[in-house]
Amino acid sequence: MGDTFFFGFRDIDDLRENLRGRNTAPVQIEPGQLHIRMRSRDLDGVIFSDVHVNRKVIDHTRMEPGWISFVVNLSPAVFCGMDVAGGHLTMLAPGQAYRSVLASPWHAIEMTGRLSVFSAEGLRPPHGSATGPGRTTIPLTSTLIGVFKRLAAAAFEAGGAKDSWLRFAVLSALGEALGIGQSVRKDPDRRPLASGYGLAQKVVRHIENRFGQKVSVTDIASELGVTPRALHYAVRSIFGISPFELILAFRLGHVRKELWDRRFHEHGITRAAMTQDFGHLGRFSQQYRFLYGELPSETLDRIRRLAGT
């Protein structure tokens, strides 16, 4: 049997270090302890995975050059601004970046590998798939969704299916899905972007570009030339939280990453908090615990144990 991996992640940075072919930087925006369960099996270059995420996150994934991923979304998501219902196949093309908002809970089955591996089997993304999400999203039949679910069950049950049979079956199902894309979706998807998506993404980029700076909703609205009410509506409609909560989630996410990066250093918590301009450490700890379900000190102790220190 090919290499089979069972991962349970509490930390996004731990997840990032175990992925192949892409870099991802999710931001948790729903309060509670994050649990990411990933089961993966390497089928001679085709990494077949079953993924569960229990909290709502904003995902920003960039594929490495030469790598591609086919994702069977079994839960709703906002993919590059389009509302995508469960039961769609989305394709992440080599060298491209994608922004998504994953529903809670979110479940997907993924097939990832080098483009050359899939091309050798005659499987290629639709022409122009790197130009936009309209060419990378394919609605699947209920029958085909059931096939992918059964393949995931067969891959990770006790004993598991043989590599050769499973690889053939997975690639056959993927080929059928891409066939649907060629016959039904010859033209780009004309669905409009989700209401408020454009402005919401401008807000996200504004926050990202001001790393370590304390920004207010009023300041962002003024710089983007909109009213605070319009900004609030856009953020709430896409992310389900207020602009203030979105800003705080990004700041706390940077702190959490800093704790991961500096887990071997002393005074990691204070330094990480000050980097994001949290002046009141007591209030910071309360906000951190509300979002992540644990205190910063508990995070640091846990990831140090994880690293074997």
Side-chain angles (χ1 to χ4, degrees), residues 211-244:
F211 177 86
Q213 301 177 27
K214 187 180 293 185
V215 295
S216 71
V217 176
T218 303
D219 291 339
I220 296 176
S222 177
E223 292 194 32
L224 295 181
V226 299
T227 65
R229 184 175 181 177
L231 190 148
H232 183 94
Y233 170 80
V235 170
R236 176 73 69 176
S237 64
I238 298 300
F239 303 122
I241 58 177
S242 71
F244 173 79

Side-chain angles (χ1 to χ4, degrees), residues 17 22 36-38 70 80 89 123 137 145 181 208 222 258 284 295 297:
E17 291 187 0
R22 61 182 171 183
I36 303 173
R37 189 186 73 180
M38 175 181 288
F70 301 90
C80 294
L89 177 77
L123 300 175
T137 307
I145 294 169
E208 290 176 333
S222 177
E258 180 83 1
F284 153 73
L295 291 168
S297 58

Side-chain angles (χ1 to χ4, degrees), residues 17 257-269 271 299-309:
E17 291 187 0
K257 184 178 186 307
E258 180 83 1
L259 292 180
W260 179 270
D261 291 341
R262 296 183 58 81
R263 58 192 181 275
F264 305 121
H265 298 267
E266 296 295 327
H267 312 297
I269 295 173
R271 178 185 175 90
T299 298
L300 193 56
D301 288 343
R302 181 171 48 74
I303 61 180
R304 281 174 173 169
R305 291 195 303 269
L306 189 65
T309 60

Side-chain angles (χ1 to χ4, degrees), residues 132-145:
R135 291 190 181 275
T136 63
T137 307
I138 298 172
L140 304 179
T141 64
S142 58
T143 300
L144 192 52
I145 294 169

